[in-house]
Amino acid sequence: MTTEPRGAARAMSQRDLEEEVDELVHLYGLEDDDELGDEFVNENMPRIEVSEYPAYMVAGREPAVEQRDWRLTGEAAEAEDLSFGGWGSESQCQDLREAYRYTHGRASEEYECYVIPEEEDEEEAPDVFCVTCKTPIRALEKVLDEHKEHEVTPLSKALESAKDEIHKNMYRLEKQIIEMENFANHLEEVFITVEENFGRQEQNFESHYNEILETLAQKYEEKIQALVEKKKEKLEALYGQLVSCGENLDTCKELMETVEEICHEEKVDFIKDAVAMADRLRKFLETKTDVEISAQPALEDQTLDFSDVEQLLGSINTIPAPSAPVINPQAPNSATGSSVRVCWSLYSDDTVESYQLSYQPVRDGSPGTDHAESTVTVKETYCSVANLVPNTQYEFRVTAQNRAGLSPASECAVYMTAPSPPVIKSKEVRSCEEAALICWESGNLNPVDSYTVELIQAETPGASGVTESVVGIPTCESLVQLQPRQSYTIYVRALNVGGPSARSEPATVHTTGSYFRLNEHTCHPWLTISEDGLTAVRSERKTPTREPPPSSTRFTRCVAVMGNLIPVRGRHYWEVEVDERSDYTVGVAFEDVPKQEDLGANCLSWCMRHTWASPRHKYEFLHNKMTPDIRITVSPKKIGILLDYENSKLSFFNVDISQHLYTFSCQLHQFVHPCFSLEKPGCLKIHNGISVPKHVSFY
């Protein structure tokens, strides 16, 4: 951009300058002010600092090198020595016009900032503050009005300064108010202290002499009288000092009035009276005025002489016997199987030297169950009592004692020891790939509130030794969900109000296949179950001629036994090792299958039967006395059985050659159990806890 030098601007013609001034006067509405017009023409007119006008940000145009920047401060404008005569070109005058229109809210779209205009009929708001006149004015008045020689400051700065001054004065005022209030409070405290000290002393004497009032009545009256006299003495001293102070004030006022009267007398009389008054004033001023408080509010120590009644006072218990303690309710987890922690408290500030805690088991009313009461002495407000019976309620009472005597006994509180650890029935634990059924005995004579089963997963690849808990179990068995193909160590705890018992002895559960044992409660008397519960044997001994009596749980006609399979739907697989030359039956049946009928002879059982008549083997797949016509050429030595709840199927396999033998389609509306029968002497051995073989998983 091409710019004109400042010197050329100053060399502009007088005519152009007058036109520019006329235009400015027209813009500012000053056509009637001839004197002001002359000032604009005058070359020696004062410079106008740009800082006295609002800052303008002109968008879309970049000022020339020598062109005036509207955003410069007043000091910068003075440094450049700019005046109205230096605007030069018409474009520079146009900038001034646009700036004026902008301040009146008529800026065009090429400006970035837009000032919302006020109502045209309202006067323009002041934007600067005249320090000399202490009033807000408009910036234009600084140049054109009587304020042009005055000191001005931006209105915002003046506002902040005024606020600061007000805040300072308010702070000083608040400080003075606080000082006055503190002084008044101090005077009030002094007055109250005098009254309270005497009142407190009176109460102290009353509390000590009430119980022996008849013996110490005279001493009591003497001491009270002494206190009253002392109080009267102090108050009279204070009152006398107050009267003296008032008299001094009256004398001072009288002297002041007399001096003022002398000052209005004639010279001769004034000299006469002045000499006498001066002597009087000198004597008065030499008189020492007491300005110290003669009686302090603090109460002197009143030493009491009880030597004459020492024997009587010795018989008075200065410390009373304690009141009855209160035993707290039993806190959770405050007991073990053999101990309990008892806590109590006092409802008063009694002085206690020791406590006596007495306890005994709660009487159940049975004859011969009375127990001797035991007592322990402690100094604390708690006691851990040991050597107790697990899961048993005990009655506790406590008394407090000091040198004055023994307190009344507290109300009876019943605490309970934690239960004994349960005993897991390892022989009745059943599992499959997704769950385990844990059974246990309580181990306690009295009922418990609930049980907790804790599971610790063995540290195997892909598993961590994390402990999980199943809480709130009301009975002595629990079906817990587990992860497949893992090993778990299982513990059981019993819980009551006293807390949890110790852990039971552990039991190990594997979730690889289904694991169960033979149920001895269903076993025919002619069968013998091995210790591990996996083998059934029918011996060669002479068979009794009489059958056992009928039973709803035990087989009586069919020499059979059932297994305890976990009641979980899904797929269960087990294998049975058989003797080729024995007559046996294997399969499944509902729990309520008739125990007086053969397996497969009803609609509640599905079985595979083998009958051997040398050298022929006969195989039947029986359900409701019906069997398909199937011939098996290779006699199995180990039979695999797959129970599939999801597809309602029961399949049999020859394990040694991986051969499928037969599959039942079953209506399994309830859970079924494995069943095994030996029609002649022989042996059946069960293999379970194994994964489903690949050749079986297709069925």
Side-chain angles (χ1 to χ4, degrees):
M1 179 182 293
T2 304
T3 61
E4 294 182 12
R6 187 182 296 114
R10 291 176 177 172
M12 66 182 300
S13 63
Q14 182 69 21
R15 182 177 58 82
D16 293 335
L17 180 60
E18 291 177 354
E19 292 177 357
E20 180 181 352
V21 171
D22 292 338
E23 184 177 2
L24 288 173
V25 170
H26 175 71
L27 287 174
Y28 285 97
L30 304 174
E31 293 87 346
D32 298 333
D33 197 338
D34 297 335
E35 183 180 354
L36 181 61
D38 296 339
E39 290 181 0
F40 273 104
V41 179
N42 187 2
E43 293 181 356
N44 295 325
M45 64 177 289
R47 299 183 181 91
I48 301 177
E49 297 181 358
V50 180
S51 63
E52 297 170 358
Y53 294 89
Y56 304 110
M57 301 175 62
V58 181
R61 59 175 73 217
E62 184 178 350
V65 177
E66 295 295 331
Q67 185 174 338
R68 173 67 172 148
D69 188 354
W70 286 96
R71 291 170 292 179
L72 292 177
T73 61
E75 292 79 5
E78 291 179 359
E80 292 192 12
D81 193 23
L82 286 176
S83 65
F84 275 103
W87 288 107
S89 64
E90 184 178 355
S91 63
Q92 293 171 332
C93 294
Q94 183 65 23
D95 288 342
L96 182 60
R97 297 189 191 100
E98 290 175 351
Y100 177 80
R101 294 190 185 98
Y102 179 83
T103 60
H104 286 71
R106 296 190 290 269
S108 61
E109 292 181 355
E110 62 184 12
Y111 291 97
E112 292 180 347
C113 300
Y114 184 83
V115 179
I116 299 176
E118 299 180 356
E119 296 295 334
E120 295 198 3
D121 57 346
E122 292 183 1
E123 184 179 359
E124 184 179 356
D127 50 4
V128 294
F129 183 78
C130 179
V131 179
T132 306
C133 300
K134 299 187 181 302
T135 181
I137 61 173
R138 293 179 296 169
L140 188 61
E141 297 178 14
K142 163 65 178 171
V143 181
L144 306 177
D145 207 345
E146 68 273 7
H147 303 283
K148 60 183 178 181
E149 299 296 337
H150 295 174
E151 179 184 359
V152 297
T153 185
L155 189 60
S156 59
K157 184 177 180 180
L159 180 61
E160 292 297 330
S161 178
K163 287 183 179 180
D164 292 342
E165 185 67 21
I166 291 176
H167 289 161
K168 290 179 181 179
N169 292 334
M170 289 180 63
Y171 175 76
R172 293 173 59 187
L173 184 59
E174 290 176 355
K175 186 176 180 181
Q176 186 174 356
I177 291 173
I178 293 174
E179 291 178 354
M180 295 174 64
E181 289 179 346
N182 291 338
F183 180 71
N185 290 336
H186 177 66
L187 291 177
E188 188 176 7
E189 289 175 357
V190 170
F191 186 87
I192 294 175
T193 301
V194 172
E195 289 190 340
E196 287 184 349
N197 284 343
F198 282 95
R200 195 177 297 114
Q201 192 70 31
E202 291 174 1
Q203 293 177 0
N204 183 51
F205 286 122
E206 288 177 358
S207 63
H208 282 82
Y209 284 103
N210 279 339
E211 294 185 6
I212 54 173
L213 186 60
E214 294 181 2
T215 306
L216 300 177
Q218 184 177 359
K219 183 176 288 294
Y220 174 79
E221 293 296 334
E222 292 175 355
K223 181 52 69 175
I224 292 298
Q225 186 64 29
L227 289 174
V228 172
E229 291 177 357
K230 191 66 177 178
K231 177 180 179 180
K232 180 179 179 181
E233 178 184 351
K234 283 195 172 187
L235 294 179
E236 287 178 352
L238 290 173
Y239 180 78
Q241 193 173 11
L242 182 62
V243 172
S244 177
C245 182
E247 292 174 352
N248 289 335
L249 283 175
D250 294 337
T251 302
C252 290
K253 291 179 180 179
E254 179 186 355
L255 291 174
M256 287 292 297
E257 293 174 357
T258 304
V259 171
E260 290 177 358
E261 292 175 0
I262 293 175
C263 291
H264 294 84
E265 294 177 352
E266 297 296 330
K267 293 181 180 181
V268 176
D269 295 334
F270 173 79
I271 293 297
K272 293 179 181 180
D273 294 336
V275 173
M277 180 56 65
D279 185 66
R280 183 181 176 187
L281 287 173
R282 180 179 55 80
K283 291 180 179 181
F284 178 81
L285 294 175
E286 288 177 355
T287 302
K288 185 177 181 180
T289 302
D290 187 12
V291 293
E292 296 292 332
I293 298 177
S294 60
Q296 297 297 326
L299 185 67
E300 292 84 4
D301 184 21
Q302 300 291 330
T303 303
L304 304 179
D305 183 15
F306 289 125
S307 58
D308 55 338
V309 288
E310 183 176 357
Q311 183 177 0
L312 180 60
L313 291 177
S315 62
I316 298 176
N317 294 320
T318 56
I319 300 177
S323 57
V326 178
I327 299 183
N328 302 335
Q330 184 172 10
N333 303 325
S334 61
T336 66
S338 60
S339 66
V340 66
R341 181 184 175 90
V342 184
C343 301
W344 57 88
S345 58
L346 293 173
Y347 280 162
S348 61
D349 297 330
D350 292 336
T351 300
V352 177
E353 297 178 357
S354 63
Y355 298 93
Q356 291 184 355
L357 180 66
S358 302
Y359 62 94
Q360 64 180 4
V362 175
R363 298 181 180 88
D364 57 4
S366 302
T369 58
D370 292 341
H371 298 275
E373 187 176 67
S374 302
T375 302
V376 292
T377 302
V378 295
K379 293 184 177 297
E380 299 81 10
T381 56
Y382 61 89
C383 179
S384 294
V385 182
N387 301 321
L388 304 179
V389 180
N391 199 40
T392 302
Q393 292 181 329
Y394 285 85
E395 295 176 342
F396 289 91
R397 291 180 177 84
V398 64
T399 56
Q401 186 176 14
N402 60 18
R403 59 187 178 183
L406 197 66
S407 74
S410 67
E411 294 291 333
C412 175
V414 176
Y415 276 51
M416 192 170 192
T417 53
S420 298
V423 179
I424 297 179
K425 300 178 181 179
S426 300
K427 293 184 178 182
E428 297 184 15
V429 173
R430 295 168 269 173
S431 64
C432 62
E433 291 192 349
E434 300 176 353
L437 181 63
I438 314 300
C439 302
W440 60 86
E441 293 179 352
S442 172
N444 297 274
L445 296 177
N446 299 320
V448 300
D449 294 342
S450 64
Y451 298 92
T452 297
V453 174
E454 297 179 356
L455 310 171
I456 300 180
Q457 188 171 335
E459 295 186 1
T460 58
S464 59
V466 177
T467 300
E468 299 179 6
S469 297
V470 181
V471 300
I473 303 171
T475 60
C476 289
E477 68 176 26
S478 176
L479 182 65
V480 294
Q481 301 297 317
L482 303 175
Q483 297 295 325
R485 295 175 294 280
Q486 301 294 333
S487 295
Y488 293 86
T489 302
I490 296 181
Y491 301 90
V492 180
R493 296 180 188 267
L495 287 86
N496 63 13
V497 294
S501 71
R503 279 178 170 178
S504 66
E505 292 296 323
T508 302
V509 171
H510 304 282
T511 56
T512 303
S514 298
Y515 182 84
F516 63 90
R517 293 172 180 263
L518 296 175
N519 186 357
E520 296 182 356
H521 300 292
T522 64
C523 182
H524 192 282
W526 297 353
L527 290 179
T528 301
I529 307 301
S530 63
E531 184 67 23
D532 61 6
L534 298 176
T535 302
V537 178
R538 182 173 180 177
S539 63
E540 297 282 352
R541 63 188 177 182
K542 184 179 180 180
T543 302
T545 56
R546 296 181 60 182
E547 293 183 355
S551 173
S552 60
T553 59
R554 185 184 297 271
F555 287 98
T556 55
R557 179 178 179 183
C558 177
V559 185
V561 64
M562 300 184 81
N564 274 331
L565 186 65
I566 184 172
V568 173
R569 294 189 176 274
R571 290 160 64 94
H572 300 274
Y573 177 79
W574 63 93
E575 297 175 353
V576 184
E577 187 177 341
V578 298
D579 186 353
E580 294 178 326
R581 299 187 178 185
S582 64
D583 293 350
Y584 59 83
T585 303
V586 295
V588 298
F590 289 113
E591 186 175 4
D592 58 349
V593 64
K595 304 300 188 296
Q596 293 79 31
E597 298 181 7
D598 292 333
L599 295 176
N602 48 63
C603 61
L604 301 179
S605 58
W606 295 260
C607 301
M608 172 183 172
R609 176 186 291 179
H610 169 256
T611 306
W612 182 69
S614 181
R616 183 174 176 271
H617 296 273
K618 181 181 179 181
Y619 293 94
E620 298 174 291
F621 295 92
L622 295 169
H623 173 65
N624 204 17
K625 298 182 179 182
M626 298 181 64
T627 179
D629 186 11
I630 295 178
R631 297 181 181 271
I632 298 177
T633 57
V634 179
S635 296
K637 297 181 180 180
K638 185 180 288 186
I639 300 172
I641 302 175
L642 176 65
L643 173 62
D644 188 349
Y645 279 103
E646 296 178 357
N647 297 309
S648 299
K649 292 182 178 181
L650 177 69
S651 302
F652 296 87
F653 301 88
N654 186 336
V655 176
D656 295 331
I657 61 176
S658 303
Q659 180 186 22
H660 173 251
L661 301 178
Y662 185 73
T663 297
F664 285 103
S665 293
C666 312
Q667 297 297 325
L668 304 177
H669 54 278
Q670 297 179 3
F671 289 109
V672 294
H673 296 280
C675 54
F676 310 90
S677 173
L678 285 169
E679 303 303 327
K680 294 181 180 181
C683 175
L684 294 176
K685 187 174 183 179
I686 302 168
H687 299 271
N688 57 21
I690 55 180
S691 300
V692 179
K694 292 184 179 179
H695 69 276
V696 175
S697 59
F698 296 109
Y699 294 91

